[in-house]
Amino acid sequence: MPDELNYVDWFRHSSPYINAHRGKTFVILIPGEAIECAHFSSIIHDLALLDSLGIRLVLVQGARPQIGRILSNRRLPSRVEDDYRVTPQDQLLDIIQASAAVRVQLEAQLSMGLSNTPMDGARLKVCSGNYVIARPLGVVDGIDYGHTGEVRRIDSEAIFRLLEDDNMVLLPHLGFSPTGEVFNLKSEEVALQAAIQLKADKLVIYSEEEGIFKSDGELYSELLTKDADVILKEKKLSTITHAALDACVQAVRQGVPRAHLISYNENGGLLRELFSREGSGTMIDEDSYEQLRPANIDDVGGMMALLTPLEEKGVLVRRSRELLENEVDRFIVIERDGAIVACAALYPFEQEHSGELACLAVSPDYRGSNRGERLLKGIEQAAKVLNLSTLFLLTTRTAHWFIERGFSETTLNSLPSKKQALYNYQRNSKIFSKAL
């Protein structure tokens, strides 16, 4: 029963994401390594689920290990320069063969409809074709890259028509030229250009790692492009991860709202990343998708969800919904993907040039990431705008947290007279203040 309740709770909390993603266009890169991983069938099931939820999917396939294997079996040299595979004329057919085998494998898996499986009744329509127009990379620094190319453009108009007809579009890492030639392309570049030219809502790239990690081993759940630039310049990532992160950064910088790195080794990683607040990988964004802002009347429900548990424990004074609605303009909140995860209030006493910090609360799921400090700074800034010189608070349980942030214990007599008259001697709250 607990597992069933957890599933019900997760499903309910995923509904805002289901509504937000419906009708959106996602470009998803599936590298050749993912096709050979233990969770490949689960990835297919997850893609089918996204399609059933009304998400328009453009899949980009890679085939690096498959190409490497076929060249090795034929004892042909495999040369990579500046992250591009050199494609001589005598290897082109082998590369086409490897790519075609991967495409057929993907299409076969997406065509499944067995009873008692997640694919039952899916009836996915998958289209592939000459939608990637390419040109030769040419000779760079004296190296002739042969039939290695770069994306010239994506036939976005044709792809849009297919998506509007409820088709899933599959793009290989091969491109075609107006002269009838075939070029071997970097799958990351195909995914990047598809996301940009289709004005996709998301670029998702499967990789071996869960995402990008900090120096202490902690996973970045969100990574701003300016911070990603620093990581890319350090050149400590593997070649494949570096290419994936670089594609994500370029996509976001060129208009794709968000890009995601997730692991093909994690069962259900795509669903967790798209339909839960915590995610499973690293999301790359131009600006933080956590917003600190003034509260409005629509936030009251979320604020009550934060405050009520603390009120029941006696940490905070009880406030009715009506009171919160009347005083909502006193609050600031942190919003994360449409959910209120933290809040705080400022009650000014302008005659005394003083203000009360109240109702500082952070959701238990989001503590430990400096959100409390962000709220405190936000309140301090708001107090300064009102020309207040002192900030005070009453607390029964969190004295040390405020002491560590510059507050000092003071007496009841130091409070504004109106606040002194309202002091609850039964709660016996300690009083702290801080000069601004």
Side-chain angles (χ1 to χ4, degrees), residues 273-292:
E273 180 69 7
L274 296 179
F275 297 103
S276 72
R277 293 178 188 170
E278 298 79 12
S280 67
T282 297
M283 184 182 75
I284 293 86
D285 198 1
E286 190 69 40
D287 295 303
S288 177
Y289 75 130
E290 275 197 2
Q291 183 183 9
L292 177 67

Side-chain angles (χ1 to χ4, degrees), residues 23-35:
K24 300 298 176 60
T25 300
F26 293 177
V27 174
I28 301 178
L29 171 56
I30 305 174
E33 292 85 354
I35 293 163

Side-chain angles (χ1 to χ4, degrees), residues 32 52 60 62 64 139 221 245 279 296 308 310 312 317 350 409 422:
S52 70
V60 178
R64 281 194 187 94
V139 179
S221 60
L245 178 59
N296 59 58
T308 300
L310 297 174
E312 291 174 347
V317 177
E350 295 182 5
E409 189 169 2
L422 296 173

Side-chain angles (χ1 to χ4, degrees), residues 49-244:
L49 178 57
L50 296 191
D51 181 83
S52 70
L53 294 174
I55 298 171
R56 307 196 302 179
L57 298 179
V58 177
L59 309 181
V60 178
Q61 67 166 78
R64 281 194 187 94
Q66 292 83 0
I67 292 171
R69 190 160 48 248
I70 199 170
L71 294 180
S72 176
N73 290 340
R74 290 198 57 206
R75 297 183 178 179
L76 294 172
S78 181
R79 183 181 178 187
V80 176
E81 297 286 348
D82 197 24
D83 297 342
Y84 284 90
R85 183 187 296 277
V86 177
T87 309
Q89 176 67 41
D90 63 351
Q91 294 183 10
L92 182 59
L93 288 178
D94 296 301
I95 289 172
I96 292 173
Q97 179 183 341
S99 178
V102 170
R103 178 178 63 82
V104 170
Q105 186 178 358
L106 270 168
E107 290 178 345
Q109 291 290 313
L110 290 166
S111 300
M112 288 178 60
L114 295 175
S115 299
N116 300 320
T117 72
M119 299 294 288
D120 185 17
R123 297 183 180 86
L124 301 176
K125 295 185 294 180
V126 184
C127 295
S128 184
N130 59 340
Y131 307 122
V132 180
I133 294 83
R135 59 189 168 211
L137 194 58
V139 179
V140 182
D141 294 332
I143 300 170
D144 185 354
Y145 282 84
H147 281 268
T148 296
E150 57 187 359
V151 177
R152 183 175 179 180
R153 68 179 179 88
I154 303 291
D155 190 349
S156 52
E157 184 178 343
I159 293 174
F160 277 131
R161 287 198 298 268
L162 293 169
L163 293 174
E164 288 171 0
D165 196 30
D166 296 328
N167 293 289
M168 190 182 294
V169 178
L170 177 59
L171 302 178
H173 61 92
L174 300 177
F176 307 91
S177 73
T179 59
E181 293 178 279
V182 181
F183 292 100
N184 181 27
L185 311 175
K186 287 177 68 172
S187 57
E188 291 87 0
E189 185 184 351
V190 176
L192 168 63
Q193 292 302 324
I196 293 170
Q197 296 183 40
L198 291 169
K199 295 180 172 59
D201 299 280
K202 286 186 184 293
L203 169 63
V204 180
I205 297 181
Y206 275 103
S207 63
E208 183 177 10
E209 300 290 339
E210 294 173 48
I212 306 300
F213 291 86
K214 302 176 185 177
S215 57
D216 61 2
E218 182 184 354
L219 178 71
Y220 281 104
S221 60
E222 179 189 14
L223 186 61
L224 301 185
T225 53
K226 62 182 179 67
D227 298 320
D229 285 337
V230 176
I231 294 171
L232 290 169
K233 287 177 182 176
E234 290 174 348
K235 296 185 177 180
K236 294 181 179 179
L237 303 174
S238 69
T239 300
I240 294 176
T241 303
H242 188 283

Side-chain angles (χ1 to χ4, degrees), residues 324-368:
L324 281 176
E325 290 175 350
N326 290 334
E327 298 181 344
V328 71
D329 60 333
R330 305 291 191 195
F331 282 80
I332 59 173
V333 296
I334 294 179
E335 178 187 1
R336 180 185 173 99
D337 253 7
I340 304 302
V341 300
C343 69
L346 172 65
Y347 292 88
F349 296 83
E350 295 182 5
Q351 277 191 328
E352 293 87 350
H353 301 288
S354 182
E356 180 185 8
L357 167 63
C359 297
L360 194 152
V362 180
S363 168
D365 296 331
Y366 295 96
R367 290 174 187 163

